[in-house]
Amino acid sequence: VVLQCQHPVAVANRLLNQVEAWMGEFSPGLRIEVQADPTRDSVSLRYKFEARRGVSNSFRATNVGFGISYTLPVVVAVLASRPGDLILLEAPEAHLHPRGQSKLGQLLARAASGGVQVIIETHSDHVMNGVRVAVHEGLIPPETAAFLYFRWDPKAEDGTPTVRTVLMDKHGRVEDWPEGFFDEMDRSLETLLTPKKDLP
């Protein structure tokens, strides 16, 4: 596993231990049980969860949250990558709660800081903020990460979207925030914080 992607609490640097530690960021207490069947040349996975009284029974992938089985191949691909590799991801945040999405953004930024080129298509401000946090914490230089904002203009004659590069400073801050770019939270908060006029 690339040094930048090593999880600080993993018991070892073996791929399985690192995958299990990172998956624990998305589903706390998760333990992965690998069962090989050499007669069929196959491997199956089962999952356990740590609890106050020990460890749960093992479960098949169909009996745990879909976020686990959806995120697992992403994490394995990132941790198995090497400098110079290219990883293309479409909506890696699917089925993850906001904290997990942010941690995934941080893991992807760590991979990029280790020389892996990572291109992500996302609709998640949490993934984006995970990258911003990685920049803020010095895990990746701001000049090596950028957000490309694709916006379709219905008035454009040729129907092609405009593409704008959104850059960060060394603190992970975006100085020139484009309108319509992950600003729905701000719009909603502004509405909620505006006193409501009494209705007759």
Side-chain angles (χ1 to χ4, degrees), residues 148-170:
L148 298 178
Y149 177 40
F150 292 77
R151 184 171 185 164
W152 180 69
D153 181 1
K155 297 176 183 176
E157 291 185 14
D158 59 0
T160 58
T162 57
V163 182
R164 181 167 170 186
T165 302
V166 181
L167 301 173
M168 295 167 282
D169 65 16
K170 65 180 181 180

Side-chain angles (χ1 to χ4, degrees), residues 22-23 37 52 80-81 91 108 117 119 122 143 156 163 168 174 178:
W22 277 106
M23 289 300 295
D37 184 350
R52 205 178 327 171
S81 63
L108 296 170
Q117 185 175 8
I119 299 174
T122 183
E143 62 273 9
V163 182
M168 295 167 282
V174 175

Side-chain angles (χ1 to χ4, degrees), residues 101-119:
Q101 292 178 31
S102 178
K103 290 293 184 180
L104 183 59
Q106 292 174 47
L107 172 60
L108 296 170
R110 285 173 175 265
S113 72
V116 178
Q117 185 175 8
V118 183
I119 299 174

Side-chain angles (χ1 to χ4, degrees), residues 1-199:
V1 174
V2 175
L3 178 64
Q4 288 85 344
C5 293
Q6 290 180 4
H7 195 284
V9 300
V11 296
N13 194 31
R14 293 174 55 233
L15 182 60
L16 178 60
N17 300 116
Q18 291 292 326
V19 168
E20 192 174 70
W22 277 106
M23 289 300 295
E25 296 286 354
F26 315 127
S27 184
L30 178 72
R31 294 291 167 254
I32 301 173
E33 189 177 85
V34 180
Q35 299 174 340
D37 184 350
T39 61
R40 295 183 182 179
D41 195 24
S42 67
V43 174
S44 65
L45 299 177
R46 295 184 70 88
Y47 303 100
K48 295 182 178 183
F49 297 89
E50 290 181 355
R52 205 178 327 171
R53 296 180 180 174
V55 180
S56 72
N57 293 330
S58 63
F59 301 95
R60 293 181 297 166
T62 53
N63 298 116
V64 297
F66 191 59
I68 293 173
S69 56
Y70 188 86
T71 309
L72 181 66
V74 173
V75 172
V76 171
V78 170
L79 295 179
S81 63
R82 294 287 175 257
D85 287 352
L86 170 64
I87 297 177
L88 302 171
L89 297 171
E90 180 181 5
E93 72 276 2
H95 310 288
L96 282 180
H97 54 81
R99 180 183 180 275
Q101 292 178 31
S102 178
K103 290 293 184 180
L104 183 59
Q106 292 174 47
L107 172 60
L108 296 170
R110 285 173 175 265
S113 72
V116 178
Q117 185 175 8
V118 183
I119 299 174
I120 311 159
E121 182 278 330
T122 183
H123 295 277
S124 170
D125 52 347
H126 303 296
V127 170
M128 185 187 81
N129 288 336
V131 174
R132 293 174 65 201
V133 166
V135 168
H136 177 77
E137 293 180 350
L139 299 174
I140 182 171
E143 62 273 9
T144 62
F147 304 111
L148 298 178
Y149 177 40
F150 292 77
R151 184 171 185 164
W152 180 69
D153 181 1
K155 297 176 183 176
E157 291 185 14
D158 59 0
T160 58
T162 57
V163 182
R164 181 167 170 186
T165 302
V166 181
L167 301 173
M168 295 167 282
D169 65 16
K170 65 180 181 180
H171 305 290
R173 297 184 189 126
V174 175
E175 294 295 328
D176 188 17
W177 200 280
E179 182 181 352
F181 179 69
F182 291 119
D183 57 2
E184 190 56 38
M185 175 73 81
D186 291 338
R187 290 170 183 262
S188 297
L189 285 176
E190 186 176 337
T191 300
L192 292 168
L193 294 173
T194 303
K196 184 177 178 182
K197 295 179 182 178
D198 292 330
L199 297 175

